[in-house]
C-alpha cells in the first residue's frame, strides 16, 4: 500500500496498518520533513478521539492537550448570547479535545517515522501492470503496489494522475487568519472554553490548546480576493466592529484562502482511494476537518483489513454519505455565523438561545457529527 501524503489522514491510516501488521505500506511525502514546528490548533470531537484511542492516543502528554467544557457564543461586540455544554457528547474515554496540530502529528509519527516514511517524493508517472499500480517518482525510484491512497490534501496531486474528470477546489471568497495568544488580550471570555464570536461577514474562534491555556485564534473573514500582503486591511473589517480585537491581531499572523471541493466524486480506479481533504475539502465552520481525515482513514483501514469485496464502492458510498452530512452543516454554520443584517443577527441570536438548550435539536444537529 502506497500512502501519498503525510498529513493527519495519511499518518492515521499508516498507524492502523502498522498496528495490524498484515500489510506492507509506505508513506510518501513530497516535502523534506514533517511540519512539527507548526503551532496552530485543531479541535477533535469525540468521534475522532474514539478512533485515535485505538492507536494509544492516551499516551500523549496530558500537558499538551486540553478538554474544554463549553462553547461560549458571543456577538462580535463580545456580548454573550448562550453556551453549548460539550460534556454531553463526552464519555469517560473520549472527550472533546483541543491541541496543537503539531502535537497530533508528533504522536502519529512516533511508530512509523524511521521505517515507513519517505521524504522528497513526487509522483512523476503511473501505470498498471498485471493488476498492480506502478508509481514512478521524480527521483527515479518506483514502487509497485496493490493500492494507492491519495492523502495529499484538497489540491491532491494524486488525483491529477488517476482522474480524467477534474474536481478543482473552489475559492469561497473567504480568508482564514490565525495567531496564538498568551492571554485573552482584554477580551471578556472564559479562557477555559471555546469562544465563538459572530460578526458581520466574519467570525472568530478562540480556544486553549494545552494545559498552559495558550490560545489559538482563528478569524474567518469574507473577502473576494486573497492577498497575503494585505491582511491587516482585511482585518480592519473586524476591528471596526470591535476595537478591542486590535490587540489580538498584534501577534504573528498566518493566513490562507478558504477552498472547498465542489463535488464528491468516486475514484475511477478500483486500486486508488482518497482520504481526508483529498476526498472532500470542508469549510472549517464545524471544526471537523481533522476529524473527518481521521474517520476516513479508519473507514478505509477496516475495509482493507476485512478484505471486503468491492471495497471501492463500499468505501465511497459510506464516506460520501458522511461527507454530505458534514458539508451541509458546515455550510449552514458559514451562513449563520456571518449574517450582515443587524435584524437578522437579532433573530439568529434569539433562535440560538432557544435551540441550544433543546436536547432534541442538539442531538439531531450535532449528535450525529460528534458521536459517530
Amino acid at each position: 500500500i502506497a500512502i501519498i501524503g503525510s498529513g493527519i489522514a495519511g499518518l492515521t491510516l499508516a498507524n492502523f496498518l502498522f498496528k495490524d501488521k498484515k500489510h506492507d505500506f509506505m508513506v510518501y511525502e513530497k516535502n523534506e520533513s514533517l511540519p512539527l514546528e507548526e503551532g496552530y490548533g485543531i479541535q477533535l470531537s469525540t468521534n475522532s478521539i474514539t478512533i485515535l484511542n485505538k492507536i494509544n492516543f492516551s499516551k500523549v502528554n496530558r500537558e499538551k492537550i486540553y478538554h474544554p467544557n463549553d462553547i461560549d457564543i458571543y456577538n462580535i461586540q463580545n456580548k454573550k448570547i448562550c453556551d453549548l455544554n460539550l460534556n454531553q457528547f463526552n464519555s469517560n474515554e473520549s472527550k472533546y479535545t483541543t491541541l496543537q496540530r503539531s502535537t497530533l502529528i508528533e504522536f502519529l509519527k512516533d511508530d512509523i517515522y524511521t521505517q515507513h516514511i519517505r521524504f522528497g517524493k513526487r509522483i512523476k508517472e503511473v501505470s498498471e501492470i498485471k493488476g498492480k499500480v506502478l508509481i514512478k517518482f521524480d527521483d527515479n525510484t518506483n514502487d509497485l503496489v496493490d493500492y494507492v491512497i491519495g492523502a495529499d490534501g484538497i489540491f491532491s496531486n494524486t488525483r491529477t494522475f488517476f482522474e480524467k474528470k477534474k474536481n478543482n477546489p473552489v475559492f469561497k471568497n473567504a480568508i482564514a487568519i490565525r495567531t496564538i495568544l498568551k492571554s485573552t488580550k482584554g477580551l471578556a471570555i472564559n479562557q477555559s472554553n471555546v469562544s465563538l464570536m459572530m460578526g458581520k461577514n466574519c467570525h472568530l474562534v478562540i480556544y486553549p490548546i494545552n494545559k498552559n491555556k495558550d490560545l489559538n485564534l482563528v478569524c474567518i473573514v469574507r473577502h473576494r480576493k486573497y492577498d497575503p500582503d494585505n491582511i491587516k486591511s482585511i482585518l480592519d473589517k473586524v476591528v471596526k466592529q470591535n476595537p478591542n480585537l486590535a490587540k489580538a491581531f498584534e501577534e504573528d499572523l498566518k493566513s490562507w484562502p478558504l477552498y472547498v471541493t465542489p463535488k464528491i466524486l468516486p475514484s475511477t480506479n478500483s486500486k486508488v482511494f482518497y482520504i481526508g481533504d483529498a476526498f472532500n475539502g470542508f469549510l472549517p465552520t464545524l471544526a471537523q476537518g481533522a476529524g473527518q481525515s481521521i474517520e476516513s482513514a479508519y473507514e478505509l483501514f477496516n475495509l482493507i483489513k476485512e478484505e471486503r469485496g468491492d471495497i471501492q464502492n463500499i468505501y465511497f458510498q459510506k464516506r460520501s454519505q458522511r461527507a454530505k452530512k458534514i458539508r451541509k452543516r458546515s455550510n449552514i454554520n458559514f451562513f449563520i455565523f456571518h449574517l450582515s443584517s443587524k435584524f437578522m443577527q437579532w433573530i439568529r441570536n434569539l433562535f440560538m438561545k432557544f435551540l441550544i438548550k433543546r436536547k432534541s435539536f442538539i442531538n439531531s444537529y450535532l449528535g450525529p457529527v460528534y458521536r459517530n
Side-chain angles (χ1 to χ4, degrees), residues 268-306:
T268 58
N269 190 312
S270 63
K271 300 290 184 180
V272 182
F273 300 83
Y274 304 103
I275 59 177
D277 285 347
F279 182 89
N280 184 81
F282 302 96
L283 286 168
T285 43
L286 199 59
Q288 278 291 304
Q292 292 309 301
S293 291
I294 292 165
E295 276 191 21
S296 60
Y298 184 58
E299 287 170 9
L300 182 57
F301 163 73
N302 282 323
L303 290 171
I304 293 172
K305 178 183 177 181
E306 295 166 8

Side-chain angles (χ1 to χ4, degrees), residues 239-341:
V239 174
K240 283 180 181 178
Q241 298 177 59
N242 183 352
N244 290 332
L245 290 168
K247 293 181 180 178
F249 297 127
E250 291 174 347
E251 305 290 343
D252 181 39
L253 301 175
K254 304 293 183 183
S255 64
W256 64 96
L258 289 186
Y259 284 86
V260 295
T261 309
K263 297 178 181 179
I264 301 175
L265 299 178
S267 171
T268 58
N269 190 312
S270 63
K271 300 290 184 180
V272 182
F273 300 83
Y274 304 103
I275 59 177
D277 285 347
F279 182 89
N280 184 81
F282 302 96
L283 286 168
T285 43
L286 199 59
Q288 278 291 304
Q292 292 309 301
S293 291
I294 292 165
E295 276 191 21
S296 60
Y298 184 58
E299 287 170 9
L300 182 57
F301 163 73
N302 282 323
L303 290 171
I304 293 172
K305 178 183 177 181
E306 295 166 8
E307 298 183 352
R308 296 283 298 273
D310 195 14
I311 293 178
Q312 185 64 256
N313 185 56
I314 297 171
Y315 171 73
F316 178 75
Q317 292 301 321
K318 183 176 182 179
R319 180 92 303 253
S320 60
Q321 183 179 15
R322 179 72 168 154
K324 287 175 183 177
K325 183 180 295 184
I326 303 299
R327 183 170 69 173
K328 182 178 180 180
R329 285 163 171 75
S330 298
N331 289 340
I332 291 172
N333 285 4
F334 187 67
F335 173 75
I336 291 174
F337 291 173
H338 294 179
L339 292 174
S340 57
S341 162

Side-chain angles (χ1 to χ4, degrees), residues 206-236:
I206 305 171
Y207 55 87
I209 51 176
N210 50 41
K211 286 293 194 298
N212 291 331
K213 295 183 181 177
D214 293 332
L215 298 169
N216 184 77
L217 181 153
V218 178
C219 179
I220 307 296
V221 187
R222 290 186 186 249
H223 198 73
R224 293 185 178 277
K225 183 181 179 181
Y226 175 60
D227 180 0
D229 297 322
N230 196 34
I231 297 303
K232 287 290 186 181
S233 64
I234 294 172
L235 283 173
D236 284 344

Side-chain angles (χ1 to χ4, degrees), residues 148-166:
V148 177
I149 315 298
D152 48 350
I154 193 169
F155 292 97
S156 174
N157 187 49
T158 307
R159 277 191 174 272
T160 64
F161 285 94
F162 291 100
E163 309 300 331
K164 292 182 180 179
K165 191 172 184 179
K166 292 185 177 181

Side-chain angles (χ1 to χ4, degrees), residues 339 341-352:
L339 292 174
S341 162
K342 288 188 176 181
F343 175 73
M344 291 304 296
Q345 290 176 2
W346 180 80
I347 294 293
R348 174 200 63 198
N349 298 348
L350 197 64
F351 269 91
M352 290 186 81

Side-chain angles (χ1 to χ4, degrees), residues 1-3 13-27 112 116 146-147 149 300-308 311:
I1 298 173
I3 302 171
L13 177 58
N15 271 266
F16 277 102
L17 291 170
F18 177 81
K19 183 180 178 182
D20 192 49
K21 307 292 185 186
K22 293 181 180 178
H23 298 87
D24 293 327
F25 70 94
M26 187 62 67
V27 178
I112 63 172
H116 295 282
D146 294 295
Y147 292 132
I149 315 298
L300 182 57
F301 163 73
N302 282 323
L303 290 171
I304 293 172
K305 178 183 177 181
E306 295 166 8
E307 298 183 352
R308 296 283 298 273
I311 293 178

